[in-house]
Amino acid sequence: MKLSMVSLCAAVVMSGLFVGQATQADETAQCPAKCAAMGPESARPLFGENLEEGDFPEGVWYFNDQKELCANKDAVIWTKQKYSAFVCSFEFNLSEHTNGGFLIQSSDKENWIPNTIEIQLLDDFGNTPDYHSCGSFYGFQAPTKNVTKKPGEWNKMVVIGKGRKITVILNGEKINEIDTAEWTDAKKSPAGTDIEGKFQGRSLSTFEPYGYIGFQGLHGNSPMRIRNAVISPIKNADTTKEGWKSLFGDKLEDAEYDSSVWTLNDDGVLSANKDSVIWAKGKYENFVLDLEFKTTEKANSGIIIQATEKENWIPNSFEVQVFDSFGRDVDMSDCGAIYGRCAPEFNVIKAPGEWNHMTVASINNVVAVVLNDQLITYWDKSKWTKADENPDGSKPYPWLINKAPCETENAGFIGIQGLHGNEPVVYRNIKIHTL
């Protein structure tokens, strides 16, 4: 079965994010509801139709008459925006001895070599793979096999980014996969092999799983041609699609709350004047929740999910933190964290007074948080096997300790914490899609 870009993204990214590591084509049929709720946007040209979304030195990169992307110098073409979760697909045609690269998660365009993950594009037809081979994470990890075609033939690569988890598919075969969180040693791989010397100054686990995407230019004298380079990023949910409803009702008729605390104004903005939770009626299991929120300076609130008790919810639920984390180095108490259990990977919250867009997906054992169009948190609670210790050795806050997260129910009540402290958070457009 051939997959369209969106179908592939649906099967691999959505299923991979929420129900395991799906990579088989026949799994597309299992996730239409998930994609309708929170899926990739349609594939679009990586650098725009006419390279208007590309950042590159004038005159270096261009489309030839066949609409193939080419370079005449060794200078990178970069995207203008950063990406954390995506499926990117492109075809490339190598000349003999061509050496190039597909660059992701770059934090520094000017000094990109030590601050970027490079997936090698190389004419190595018929060679034994190593960590310089086509499809390698250059200098770090070799592909499992060599499936590169002869010079002059078109290859197709699909790169799937799920934050720290990156998968490379070349000519229809999965040939490489990495989880940068496991690469904590600057000199050795998790398997104990050596990392190339020029990359040994910084471990991959210190990279933010978020950055610019690009192609290396004419590196050497053998050119490469690229065509059909498209990207489908995971973004916040599109609640205009079928299946969405207001979580609390248009007039809070589907909520349980203290009417002296919670107010919904004429503009649809929900606010609280005390630390009292507003609950949706009924329990939810397997859902996508979408909302906007605006913080004030030092404001603190939260989205409560999987609550088995309303009165004693703090040790009997999980909280997606809503907090004024603007400008902070994030930890497990910052915005987008699974509070006390799992920190967000990076910080994309806006300054106090600006509206943020958050999507929370709770599917089976996994909770994923997308904030302002970036996947920042991916939490698989089945790996949290201890009540009083997180897998990385950190300790949850004492007042949260009850059962080990892996032992808790996936179904539960959903709520929003009220005025926790003296600075308010306000909400609007709170919608849910059940799966």
Side-chain angles (χ1 to χ4, degrees):
M1 179 199 307
K2 286 189 175 181
L3 292 179
S4 70
M5 189 64 180
V6 174
S7 298
L8 180 65
C9 206
V12 181
V13 177
M14 297 309 298
S15 295
L17 280 174
F18 303 136
V19 292
Q21 303 302 317
T23 56
Q24 299 301 316
D26 57 8
E27 299 204 31
T28 50
Q30 299 180 16
C31 27
K34 301 175 184 62
C35 298
M38 188 183 83
E41 72 171 21
S42 298
R44 53 182 173 80
L46 181 61
F47 304 113
E49 291 286 354
N50 297 298
L51 303 187
E52 70 278 5
E53 297 299 324
D55 181 8
F56 58 96
E58 185 176 355
V60 173
W61 286 88
Y62 61 95
F63 283 126
N64 66 15
D65 293 341
Q66 287 72 47
K67 201 62 176 179
E68 297 164 351
L69 184 61
C70 307
N72 54 36
K73 291 182 181 178
D74 191 359
V76 176
I77 182 170
W78 295 106
T79 57
K80 290 183 177 179
Q81 66 184 91
K82 294 181 175 181
Y83 296 91
S84 62
F86 60 88
V87 172
C88 190
S89 171
F90 58 91
E91 295 170 272
F92 60 99
N93 192 310
L94 305 169
S95 304
E96 193 172 354
H97 307 305
T98 295
N99 184 349
F102 179 62
L103 315 174
I104 62 174
Q105 296 187 1
S106 177
S107 59
D108 188 339
K109 294 180 181 180
E110 297 300 319
N111 186 32
W112 65 266
I113 289 178
N115 297 297
T116 300
I117 295 173
E118 178 179 353
I119 298 167
Q120 178 80 313
L121 304 177
L122 180 73
D123 167 30
D124 62 352
F125 175 73
N127 294 342
T128 301
D130 59 25
Y131 64 16
H132 288 169
S133 297
C134 192
S136 67
F137 293 101
Y138 183 69
F140 292 92
Q141 181 170 284
T144 57
K145 61 179 73 174
N146 187 336
V147 295
T148 314
K149 295 182 180 180
K150 295 178 181 179
E153 297 183 24
W154 285 97
N155 298 270
K156 183 171 184 178
M157 181 174 283
V158 179
V159 177
I160 302 158
K162 296 184 290 183
R164 295 194 176 279
K165 297 177 177 64
I166 306 160
T167 303
V168 179
I169 299 170
L170 181 58
N171 297 325
E173 296 194 51
K174 187 170 93 169
I175 61 166
N176 216 340
E177 195 163 49
I178 198 170
D179 182 346
T180 60
E182 298 172 353
W183 289 65
T184 57
D185 192 318
K187 295 184 178 182
K188 295 282 187 180
S189 75
T193 58
D194 290 335
I195 294 169
E196 188 167 356
K198 63 183 177 182
F199 299 117
Q200 290 187 4
R202 180 183 176 191
S203 70
L204 285 179
S205 64
T206 66
F207 277 56
E208 283 190 341
Y210 166 65
Y212 301 104
I213 294 175
F215 285 105
Q216 191 175 17
L218 181 61
H219 186 55
N221 298 317
S222 298
M224 174 173 59
R225 293 173 289 151
I226 301 162
R227 68 185 184 188
N228 300 325
V230 294
I231 190 166
S232 291
I234 292 291
K235 306 185 83 170
N236 285 107
D238 179 1
T239 60
T240 63
K241 294 181 179 179
E242 185 179 353
W244 289 92
K245 68 172 186 176
S246 173
L247 178 66
F248 298 128
D250 293 336
K251 297 182 179 179
L252 304 186
E253 68 274 11
D254 294 328
E256 297 176 4
Y257 64 103
D258 185 337
S259 59
S260 68
V261 173
W262 286 93
T263 304
L264 185 68
N265 70 16
D266 292 340
D267 294 323
V269 176
L270 183 67
S271 60
N273 56 38
K274 290 183 181 178
D275 193 358
S276 174
V277 176
I278 182 171
W279 296 102
K281 293 179 179 177
K283 289 186 175 182
Y284 288 88
E285 180 178 9
N286 294 342
F287 62 86
V288 180
L289 180 68
D290 190 79
L291 54 87
E292 294 175 274
F293 68 88
K294 181 166 59 176
T295 67
T296 47
E297 192 172 351
K298 299 181 181 179
N300 187 346
S301 181
I303 312 300
I304 304 160
I305 61 173
Q306 299 183 10
T308 53
E309 294 185 31
K310 293 181 179 178
E311 296 301 320
N312 189 31
W313 65 267
I314 288 179
N316 294 294
S317 66
F318 299 106
E319 179 185 349
V320 179
Q321 177 78 315
V322 175
F323 184 65
D324 169 28
S325 303
F326 181 71
R328 286 168 53 101
D329 292 330
V330 289
D331 60 28
M332 61 185 183
S333 66
D334 282 294
C335 193
I338 309 302
Y339 183 67
R341 291 292 183 177
C342 178
E345 297 282 8
F346 51 93
N347 191 347
V348 292
I349 192 172
K350 297 179 182 179
E354 298 184 43
W355 285 102
N356 296 271
H357 189 178
M358 178 180 281
T359 306
V360 179
S362 176
I363 312 295
N364 298 332
N365 289 318
V366 172
V367 178
V369 181
V370 174
L371 181 61
N372 297 327
D373 284 334
Q374 300 295 341
L375 176 69
I376 61 167
T377 305
Y378 174 82
W379 185 56
D380 183 350
K381 71 178 188 179
S382 67
K383 298 179 181 178
W384 267 249
T385 58
K386 297 180 181 179
D388 58 353
E389 185 176 324
N390 298 323
D392 63 0
S394 62
K395 300 293 184 181
Y397 305 124
W399 55 90
L400 301 178
I401 296 174
N402 188 358
K403 295 179 180 179
C406 67
E407 298 173 353
T408 62
E409 297 178 27
N410 295 328
F413 300 105
I414 298 173
I416 295 178
Q417 192 175 22
L419 180 63
H420 186 55
N422 298 318
E423 299 298 330
V425 177
V426 295
Y427 296 87
R428 68 183 183 189
N429 298 326
I430 308 166
K431 297 182 180 181
I432 194 165
H433 190 301
T434 55
L435 306 179

